[in-house]
Amino acid sequence: DRWVSTPHRVVVVAEDTRPRWWLPPFLRKKSRRRQSIAFFHNLNYDANVSAIDSCLQPGEKPKWPPILAYDHLLQKHRASTTTTQQQQQQNGGEL
C-alpha cells in the first residue's frame, strides 16, 4: 500500500521520584515514565470506502474493491475470532 500510517508518539513525563520500597531492588531505581494516549475512530457503518480517483495513476486500477465500513469491520472481527475452517465455511469454501 502506498500510504503509511503516522508514527506513534510518546511523551516522556518528568522523572518519577516516588519511594519504591515495596518493589524488588532491581525495580527501585528512578524512572522516566512514558505516557501515551490512544485515539481511534471509525467511519459510519454505511460509509462506502473506495479508492479516490485522484490518488490513482492514469490507467491504474484500485488495489482493493469498494466496501461498506460495516462489512470491512465485520470481516476484520471475524478474521480475529474464527478459525480457518470456520472462515472457509462462511465463505463457501474460499478464504
Side-chain angles (χ1 to χ4, degrees):
D1 295 313
R2 187 180 310 171
W3 307 109
V4 181
S5 65
T6 304
H8 292 66
R9 291 176 178 83
V10 177
V11 174
V12 177
V13 180
E15 187 175 293
D16 186 354
T17 57
R18 295 175 293 176
R20 298 170 177 267
W21 56 267
W22 66 91
L23 294 174
F26 68 94
L27 292 176
R28 289 183 190 164
K29 62 185 175 191
K30 295 178 183 176
S31 69
R32 290 183 55 88
R33 189 171 59 94
R34 298 180 342 150
Q35 183 173 346
S36 63
I37 299 173
F39 173 76
F40 300 97
H41 72 278
N42 287 317
L43 298 173
N44 292 339
Y45 75 97
D46 59 347
N48 186 31
V49 180
S50 61
I52 300 170
D53 291 336
S54 62
C55 292
L56 298 172
Q57 298 294 325
E60 181 182 11
K61 295 196 185 283
K63 184 174 182 177
W64 307 103
I67 189 169
L68 292 177
Y70 173 82
D71 294 335
H72 173 71
L73 290 174
L74 187 60
Q75 286 177 8
K76 291 289 194 181
H77 174 70
R78 282 184 177 153
S80 69
T81 59
T82 58
T83 65
T84 303
Q85 186 177 12
Q86 288 171 326
Q87 287 176 356
Q88 286 177 332
Q89 290 171 352
Q90 290 171 355
N91 295 326
E94 298 179 23
L95 275 180

